[in-house]
Structures are given as structure tokens and as C-alpha cells.
């Protein structure tokens, strides 16, 4: 009887207004509109999505527009390959590490291709021996495409294994041009000949790579990445067909490589939208259905990784790997958390195990398109696809991907996006734990790995046309620069550079702004030295006298500032004219000129540019230290 009653129960139908009212109740007086925002892709995000936001399309995994994946049963029948890119100091170390990785969960042969491994006699042969026909390859060959393919061909033909080689071994000339700031027609012609030469010799090996990583690391948003990917794909389709290669064979040989950033849902939608766009292109080229699915290799982003507090990179990489898998990739590399310094066997193992956890603990290889049907993800996917198509058309209208690189139009578009990201990061509108928020000033200064500045095109083999390169960037670099400056200053003065906190009133009155300032200053490697509660002018004078710094900041409520702060500041500035004073918070606009006239250098609050403020303080400290040393 009780079971029957439960079956007969029904829930009241809730409207969007009901949900908004519930949300606003938790916002403590704010309207739900306060949660609306625009992304760097200029996509409007709402806090609530409902069924009417969905734009139904006939869809299923392995068909339709391929947004839901390229295989009917998803990872149930075609799980993604664990393709960790191994680093090494010598060919012997690489061989040892590759065998160990394959024994412990790696499922594809993947490593950073270097000049040493290519040009040292038989190095590549020794590394790949016994493995290349047992495991799929996942190699970005960069500028050594021809050399590596020839080595592989010799090995495979000697052992009669050419039809056993799977995976991908490819390079992207245009991405290489964007990285290095030079265009070579000769290099592209050589690349085309290799694609033609090896397309039949390796029937199951993909040799055409479209690498979007350089654009991502330059600061591009998802719309730009997608538009560039499609534009590159179209360019290669056109030039290879001019070389009389069959359209469907070209498509079969293509792999798209994306970096996966930290915006979880945006990255899922990016991969889904990429397949929609490529399906639209291949339909226009009248390709066969079986050739239209986009094969995707992904890696977690280096743009989002930080030198400081490197263990937080574990969380970032895990989040990005999760998004990549939900998005439906075929190959995945997870960046080790210490990849910016010296990568250790421990970090490489943890990076590989993130993928194994997603497979075996989160069971992601047992669900077909877990994001499918989400009103939010589906709407985001559709918007991304349409905006990326418009960006692709902008590229196409200017003559294609090579022309927009030669004119520097694309570089400037990406630069503009990066500057927006950078400004949000500097003003802490976008946070990175351990870098611009919750920084640990007692953390030892990390020793960053030097960037590889060697250019493949410096050997004089090819004639070049110079273009503006797209530099590899990381979002955390401005604050890392401040931390280095603070550490250098500490070495000169023998202590962590500091700012004194003049704490007005009782703890409950000054603590909120004191805590804000401690976090704010730590982002630049500066220490906040807080006073006892300042209740009298004598308390303040004593603190300034005893604190070995020339920089002080008032912390308290606006009421405390008016009741006591003004008089204390006037007296301190009179007695200590060389000291520099700040205020935590932003007084009412009509009172700001008065504070400035009394000697306040700056109001420090959530809206100020944290990077610029801290940079000014550190630069001023450096100048004063030099002058004191001379004196």
C-alpha cells in the first residue's frame, strides 16, 4: 500500500521564475542578472538554462554532425589512447622510459621529438625497435617530418610491417611558421611530397597534423582556435588535392591537435563544435560519410600552468583532462605538474595515472557522450560553432590562413584576446591559486626550465619570408616576474620586502581589509607586517618607528578612517615625510581628493590593477635600496 502511494505521488511543476526566485534567495539580495557574463569568445552565459534553450538537431554518436563523437558506441569500442609525451636527456633514457610507461598504462608511443633523436645514428631505430608495430604512434614530428618518416619506412619495410603501423606521425608546417615567425614555400612543397610518398606505404598511419597548440599558447580564445583549425584544414585539403591526392584519403590521414584550457564547459563545447565544423566543411567538399569524422589529439594546456605552487597544476591538469575526455578525444597527453622546471619520474607517473583514473575509477570509457543532452553544453556548442564559422569566414575572405599570417592580422587578433585575459588576471578578475591569490611568500623560488629558442629554420636550408611570430605565453608570467623581483630584493636587504599594516580599531573592524591586503601583497612576494590594534596616535607612531619599511597601509572600516585615520595620517606624514602611505579600500568619491592631499599615494581595493600596484611598490623599493647602498 505504501509503495502504491509513492507511485501515485507527483511533483509540482516549477517554472523558470520559481528557479530564479530560489537562486536569488541564495544570492542574499542580488538579482540573478548579476550572474550574467560574457566570455572571451563574446558568448553570453546565463546562470540558468531550460529546455527551451535547446536547439534540437537529429543526433546520435558516430553520425549526424558528429558533435556526439565519431564512433557509434563511443569509448565502449574505441577508447582514447594514453599518449604521454615523454621527455628525456638521451635516446637510451627515452627507450627505458618508453618501455616502463607502456608496462604501466601508457597505450601509445609518444615523446617530444628532438634534433638529437632524429639525427644521431640509429637512435630512433633503437628506441622504436619491437614497439612501433605493437602500439599506435602519437608523434608531432615538427620540422623533422621527412627524416622520421624515412627512418620508420626503412624499419617497417625491412621487417615487412608497414601495414601494422597505426596512430599518427605528422607535422603542421603552418603552425611551425606561426611559432617561428617565418614562412617557407619550399618546406611546404617538401611536406606535400612526403604526404604523397608515404600515404600508400603506411595505409593505417595518419601523417597530416593540424596543430592548434601554438595559437592556444599565444592566448587565442576557443572561437579563434576553431576558426584557425578549420582554415588550416581547408588549406591542406586544397594544396594536397592540387597534388592529385584523393580527397577521402587526405581526410583519412588527418589528425587535429588541440590544447585544453581551464574553462571546463567551454573546452568540452570546443571539441564538440570542432567536429560540427569539420563535418560542415567535408560535406561542402562532398566527402564520403566515413571520412568526415574528426580525429582529435589533445593535451592539457601549458598556458594555464604556474611555476609557483606547482601541485595546484595537478588540479588544473586533472580538470582539463576530464574536459578532453568528455569532449571525445582519441589521444590525450596530460602535462606533468612540474613540467615548467625539471620533470620528475613521480610527476610523469601521476600525469599518466590521471588518465587511468578517468578510465578505471571515473568509468568515463563506459559512457557514450556524457555531456549529450545538457541544455547548457548543447547551447554553448551551437554558439561556439556558429561564431567559429564566422571567424573562419573572416580568414577565408582574406585569402586563407597563410595570408592572414603574412599580413599579421591573425597575430594581432590573438594578441588582442591575450591582452584582455592578461588584464583580467592582473586585476584578479581571473584568479590562479598560488599565483595571484593565496600565494605562499615563503615558497622557495623555482628554477624555470629555459624555453627552447632554437629555430628549425636557422640552418639556411630554406628561403624564408619573415612574419610576426605568435609567442608562447603563460597567464601566470607577470606575477612570476614580480616574485623574482621580490626575491632579488630580499637577497639584497636580507629579509622579505614588507609593507606595514596600520590596523585601526578592534580586530573585527580591521581584519577583513587586513586579510585582503595580506593576500594582495603576497601575489608580488611582499610580506604584510600587521600592527596591534591601533587605538591612539601614539600606537601608530610607535609601530611606524619599530617597523623596518618605508611603506604602510591603513586597514579598517570607512568609519574608522573618518574617525581616526585622517588625524593619524596627518600626524604621521608630518613626522615621517619620507614614508609612503596607502589605504585598503575605496573611500567615497568626494572624499578621495582629501585623502590624496593628506599624503595617500593610492587606494588599494578589488578594482585596482594588482600587478601594476605591486610592480610600482617593488620598483620604488629597488630604487630606494640602491640609493641607500650608495649612501
Amino acid at each position: 500500500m505504501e509503495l502504491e502511494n509513492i507511485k501515485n505521488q507527483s511533483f509540482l511543476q516549477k517554472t523558470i521564475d520559481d528557479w530564479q526566485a530560489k537562486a536569488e534567495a541564495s544570492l542574499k539580495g542580488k538579482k540573478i542578472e548579476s550572474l550574467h557574463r560574457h566570455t572571451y569568445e563574446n558568448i553570453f552565459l546565463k546562470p540558468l538554462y531550460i529546455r527551451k534553450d535547446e536547439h534540437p538537431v537529429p543526433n546520435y554518436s558516430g553520425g549526424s554532425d558528429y558533435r556526439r563523437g565519431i564512433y557509434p558506441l563511443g569509448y565502449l569500442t574505441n577508447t582514447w589512447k594514453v599518449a604521454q609525451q615523454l621527455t628525456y636527456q638521451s635516446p637510451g633514457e627515452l627507450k627505458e622510459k618508453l618501455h616502463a610507461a607502456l608496462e604501466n598504462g601508457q597505450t601509445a608511443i609518444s615523446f617530444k621529438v628532438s634534433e638529437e633523436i632524429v639525427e644521431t645514428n640509429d637512435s630512433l631505430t633503437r628506441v622504436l625497435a619491437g614497439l612501433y608495430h605493437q602500439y599506435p604512434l602519437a608523434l608531432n614530428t615538427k620540422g623533422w617530418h621527412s627524416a622520421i618518416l624515412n627512418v620508420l619506412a626503412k624499419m617497417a619495410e625491412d621487417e615487412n610491417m608497414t601495414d601494422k603501423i597505426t596512430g599518427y606521425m605528422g607535422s603542421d608546417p603552418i603552425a611551425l611558421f606561426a611559432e617561428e615567425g617565418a614562412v617557407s614555400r619550399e618546406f611546404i612543397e617538401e611536406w606535400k611530397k612526403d604526404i604523397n610518398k608515404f600515404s600508400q606505404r603506411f595505409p593505417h598511419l595518419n601523417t597530416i597534423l593540424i596543430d592548434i597548440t601554438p595559437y592556444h599558447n599565444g592566448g587565442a580564445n576557443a572561437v579563434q582556435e576553431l576558426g584557425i583549425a578549420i582554415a588550416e584544414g581547408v588549406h591542406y585539403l586544397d594544396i594536397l588535392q592540387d597534388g592529385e591526392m584523393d580527397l577521402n584519403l587526405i581526410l583519412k590521414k588527418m589528425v587535429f591537435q588541440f590544447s585544453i584550457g581551464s574553462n571546463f564547459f567551454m573546452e568540452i563545447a570546443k571539441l564538440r563544435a570542432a567536429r560540427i565544423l569539420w563535418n560542415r566543411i567535408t560535406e561542402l567538399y562532398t566527402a564520403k560519410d566515413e571520412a568526415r569524422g574528426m580525429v582529435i589529439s589533445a593535451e592539457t594546456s601549458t598556458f594555464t600552468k604556474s611555476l609557483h605552487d606547482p601541485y595546484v597544476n595537478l588540479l588544473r591538469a586533472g580538470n582539463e583532462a576530464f574536459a578532453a575526455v568528455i569532449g571525445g578525444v582519441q589521444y590525450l597527453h596530460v602535462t606533468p605538474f612540474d613540467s615548467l622546471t625539471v620533470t620528475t619520474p613521480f610527476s610523469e607517473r601521476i600525469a599518466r595515472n590521471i588518465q587511468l583514473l578517468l578510465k578505471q575509477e571515473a568509468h568515463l570509457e563506459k559512457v557514450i557522450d556524457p555531456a549529450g543532452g545538457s541544455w547548457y553544453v548543447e547551447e554553448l556548442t551551437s554558439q561556439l560553432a556558429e561564431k567559429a564559422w564566422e571567424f573562419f569566414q573572416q580568414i577565408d575572405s582574406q585569402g586563407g590562413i597563410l595570408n592572414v599570417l603574412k599580413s599579421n592580422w591573425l597575430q594581432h587578433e590573438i594578441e588582442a584576446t591575450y591582452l584582455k585575459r592578461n588584464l583580467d588576471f592582473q586585476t584578479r578578475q581571473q584568479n590562479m591559486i598560488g599565483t595571484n591569490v593565496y600565494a605562499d611568500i615563503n615558497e622557495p623560488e623555482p628554477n624555470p626550465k629555459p624555453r627552447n629558442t632554437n629555430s628549425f629554420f636557422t640552418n639556411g636550408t630554406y628561403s624564408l619570408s619573415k612574419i610576426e611570430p605568435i609567442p608562447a605565453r603563460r597567464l601566470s608570467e607577470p606575477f612570476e616576474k614580480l616574485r623574482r623581483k621580490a626575491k632579488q630584493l630580499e637577497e639584497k636587504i636580507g629579509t622579505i620586502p614588507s609593507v606595514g599594516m596600520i590596523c585601526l580599531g578592534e580586530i573585527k573592524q580591521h581584519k577583513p581589509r587586513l586579510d585582503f591586503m595580506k593576500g594582495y601583497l603576497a601575489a608580488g612576494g611582499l610580506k604584510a607586517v600587521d600592527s596591534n590594534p591601533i587605538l591612539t596616535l601614539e600606537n601608530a607612531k610607535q609601530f611606524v618607528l619599530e617597523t623596518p619599511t618605508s611603506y604602510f597601509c591603513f586597514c579598517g572600516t570607512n568609519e574608522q578612517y573618518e574617525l581616526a585615520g585622517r588625524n593619524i595620517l596627518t600626524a604621521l606624514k608630518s613626522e615621517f615625510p619620507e614614508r609612503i602611505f596607502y589605504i585598503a579600500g575605496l573611500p567615497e568619491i568626494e572624499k578621495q581628493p582629501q585623502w590624496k592631499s593628506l599624503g595617500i599615494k593610492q587606494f588599494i581595493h578589488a578594482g585596482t590593477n594588482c600587478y601594476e600596484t605591486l610592480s610600482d611598490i617593488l620598483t620604488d623599493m629597488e630604487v630606494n635600496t640602491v640609493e641607500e647602498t650608495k649612501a
Side-chain angles (χ1 to χ4, degrees):
M1 187 66 181
E2 187 177 341
L3 181 60
E4 192 65 30
N5 289 336
I6 292 173
K7 286 182 178 180
N8 291 332
Q9 282 185 346
S10 61
F11 295 96
L12 293 175
Q13 191 72 28
K14 297 296 182 182
T15 67
I16 184 64
D17 292 334
D18 295 327
W19 282 107
Q20 287 182 350
K22 194 70 176 174
E24 286 177 355
S26 67
L27 291 174
K28 298 178 180 177
K30 290 183 181 178
K31 291 294 183 184
I32 198 165
E33 287 77 12
S34 65
L35 300 179
H36 291 166
R37 65 186 182 91
H38 282 85
T39 70
Y40 295 113
E41 294 78 12
N42 199 28
I43 289 175
F44 178 70
L45 294 184
K46 302 185 299 182
L48 289 173
Y49 285 81
I50 59 176
R51 188 179 296 278
K52 74 176 184 180
D53 292 307
E54 186 180 21
H55 301 291
V57 290
N59 245 314
Y60 53 93
S61 185
S64 187
D65 61 10
Y66 294 100
R67 75 177 63 200
R68 303 198 64 185
I70 62 174
Y71 303 117
L73 294 179
Y75 294 139
L76 288 173
T77 53
N78 298 83
T79 191
W80 77 91
K81 307 297 188 297
V82 179
Q84 289 299 119
Q85 296 169 18
L86 302 176
T87 57
Y88 52 92
Q89 298 298 318
S90 67
E93 182 191 7
L94 173 58
K95 182 176 180 178
E96 184 180 329
K97 289 176 77 171
L98 185 56
H99 279 269
L102 291 168
E103 288 172 4
N104 289 282
Q106 179 133 334
T107 57
I109 297 171
S110 186
F111 51 85
K112 299 280 187 182
V113 173
S114 67
E115 186 174 0
E116 181 186 16
I117 199 72
V118 175
E119 299 191 357
T120 305
N121 287 339
D122 297 326
S123 291
L124 188 60
T125 303
R126 291 196 299 272
V127 168
L128 296 179
L131 299 175
Y132 70 96
H133 51 81
Q134 295 187 51
Y135 297 91
L137 299 166
L139 294 175
N140 184 345
T141 54
K142 297 284 187 177
W144 295 282
H145 190 242
S146 182
I148 292 180
L149 280 170
N150 277 296
V151 170
L152 185 64
K154 186 177 186 308
M155 288 178 66
E157 287 166 1
D158 288 348
E159 299 180 20
N160 197 27
M161 291 289 184
T162 52
D163 63 336
K164 302 290 185 185
I165 300 175
T166 60
Y168 72 89
M169 181 183 276
S171 72
D172 181 348
I174 295 174
L176 203 58
F177 298 159
E179 281 183 294
E180 301 204 358
V183 173
S184 169
R185 287 287 180 186
E186 294 167 283
F187 184 78
I188 284 198
E189 288 304 315
E190 184 181 284
W191 176 84
K192 281 172 59 179
K193 288 177 184 176
D194 286 331
I195 300 300
N196 272 291
K197 177 180 175 182
F198 292 105
S199 62
Q200 300 295 339
R201 292 168 78 175
F202 296 121
H204 307 301
L205 180 69
N206 294 2
T207 51
I208 305 168
L209 187 66
I210 296 164
D211 182 13
I212 309 305
T213 302
Y215 312 102
H216 172 94
N217 288 338
N221 62 39
V223 163
Q224 291 167 333
E225 289 182 60
L226 291 171
I228 293 166
I230 303 309
E232 279 206 16
V234 165
H235 182 80
Y236 291 146
L237 283 177
D238 289 343
I239 65 172
L240 289 170
Q241 283 188 97
D242 286 346
E244 299 183 352
M245 220 177 140
D246 176 70
L247 169 68
N248 293 294
L249 179 59
I250 298 169
L251 292 171
K252 182 183 174 183
K253 295 292 181 180
M254 283 184 165
V255 173
F256 289 76
Q257 182 165 310
F258 288 97
S259 276
I260 308 301
S262 58
N263 188 336
F264 183 74
F265 291 106
M266 186 66 74
E267 296 301 315
I268 294 171
K270 179 174 82 177
L271 297 175
R272 292 161 63 85
R275 291 192 292 269
I276 295 172
L277 292 164
W278 194 236
N279 177 67
R280 188 181 294 184
I281 288 290
T282 52
E283 276 186 323
L284 293 173
Y285 275 81
T286 65
K288 294 178 181 177
D289 288 352
E290 61 269 23
R292 299 211 310 264
M294 175 188 275
V295 176
I296 298 176
S297 176
E299 61 181 49
T300 57
S301 173
T302 56
F303 182 77
T304 62
K305 302 304 179 291
S306 62
L307 268 174
H308 294 100
D309 206 350
Y311 289 107
V312 184
N313 288 334
L314 272 173
L315 303 178
R316 298 180 187 122
N319 175 72
E320 292 161 4
F322 193 10
V325 173
I326 297 291
V329 301
Q330 281 65 59
Y331 301 86
L332 180 59
H333 163 71
V334 177
T335 309
F337 67 84
D338 57 3
S339 62
L340 299 176
T341 52
V342 179
T343 305
T344 61
F346 171 73
S347 67
E348 289 182 331
R349 179 169 64 87
I350 293 297
R352 182 176 63 245
N353 285 351
I354 286 173
Q355 297 201 53
L356 302 184
L357 285 168
L358 293 175
K359 281 175 181 278
Q360 298 166 19
E361 300 291 333
H363 302 297
L364 291 185
E365 63 182 356
K366 296 183 179 179
V367 183
I368 303 171
D369 186 28
S374 161
W375 297 324
Y376 173 39
V377 174
E378 295 291 7
E379 172 64 9
L380 193 53
T381 298
S382 297
Q383 287 196 55
L384 260 184
E386 291 309 312
K387 287 185 177 294
W389 185 257
E390 291 171 8
F391 191 75
F392 160 68
Q393 288 178 315
Q394 284 184 272
I395 294 172
D396 198 52
S397 68
Q398 297 178 64
I401 188 68
L402 270 180
N403 279 351
V404 295
L405 280 170
K406 288 177 181 177
S407 69
N408 296 326
W409 176 86
L410 185 59
Q411 292 90 320
H412 295 162
E413 289 288 308
I414 292 173
E415 173 82 7
T417 301
Y418 168 72
L419 290 175
K420 290 178 187 175
R421 292 182 188 271
N422 189 47
L423 180 60
D424 285 347
F425 190 67
Q426 289 187 4
T427 56
R428 306 206 304 176
Q429 301 302 305
Q430 184 175 347
N431 294 334
M432 185 177 284
I433 291 173
T435 301
N436 67 348
V437 293
Y438 302 117
D440 179 7
I441 59 171
N442 296 309
E443 179 185 358
E445 181 65 15
N447 185 22
K449 187 188 300 179
R451 275 197 173 127
N452 182 12
T453 56
N454 295 331
S455 170
F456 177 77
F457 294 117
T458 55
N459 57 17
T461 305
Y462 306 99
S463 57
L464 305 172
S465 300
K466 292 293 184 182
I467 61 171
E468 189 176 311
I470 298 176
R473 303 176 172 109
R474 287 184 297 104
L475 203 53
S476 62
E477 287 177 302
F479 284 91
E480 291 168 3
K481 180 181 175 183
L482 292 182
R483 297 280 286 274
R484 282 194 295 274
K485 185 183 282 192
K487 189 61 69 173
Q488 290 164 359
L489 193 57
E490 179 184 348
E491 290 169 0
K492 290 178 183 177
I493 63 178
T495 185
I496 297 174
S498 61
V499 177
M501 299 288 109
I502 300 172
C503 302
L504 300 180
E506 301 297 339
I507 289 178
K508 66 179 181 180
Q509 293 171 311
H510 64 248
K511 190 173 187 305
R513 281 176 170 161
L514 172 63
D515 289 344
F516 168 79
M517 285 304 302
K518 284 182 175 180
Y520 195 95
L521 293 168
L526 291 159
K527 182 180 180 181
V529 179
D530 48 307
S531 69
N532 292 322
I534 300 293
L535 303 175
T536 67
L537 174 58
E538 289 307 312
N539 293 152
K541 286 182 179 180
Q542 189 69 23
F543 175 67
V544 172
L545 277 170
E546 292 175 352
T547 307
T549 182
S550 297
Y551 304 84
F552 294 87
C553 181
F554 284 87
C555 293
T557 62
N558 284 355
E559 184 181 10
Q560 282 291 321
Y561 292 159
E562 293 300 319
L563 288 174
R566 195 186 301 274
N567 293 334
I568 290 175
L569 172 63
T570 302
L572 291 178
K573 197 65 182 172
S574 175
E575 189 163 341
F576 308 103
E578 77 286 359
R579 302 296 201 273
I580 296 170
F581 294 94
Y582 301 87
I583 276 185
L586 188 63
E588 295 172 7
I589 192 164
E590 64 273 10
K591 294 177 180 177
Q592 292 174 21
Q594 299 169 23
W595 284 104
K596 290 279 190 180
S597 67
L598 292 174
I600 288 296
K601 182 172 183 179
Q602 187 179 353
F603 308 110
I604 299 178
H605 54 92
T608 53
N609 188 311
C610 182
Y611 170 78
E612 289 183 354
T613 301
L614 299 180
S615 181
D616 288 345
I617 293 173
L618 284 167
T619 300
D620 201 43
M621 286 181 170
E622 279 184 324
V623 171
N624 290 340
T625 301
V626 170
E627 290 176 352
E628 287 170 9
T629 303
K630 287 179 179 178

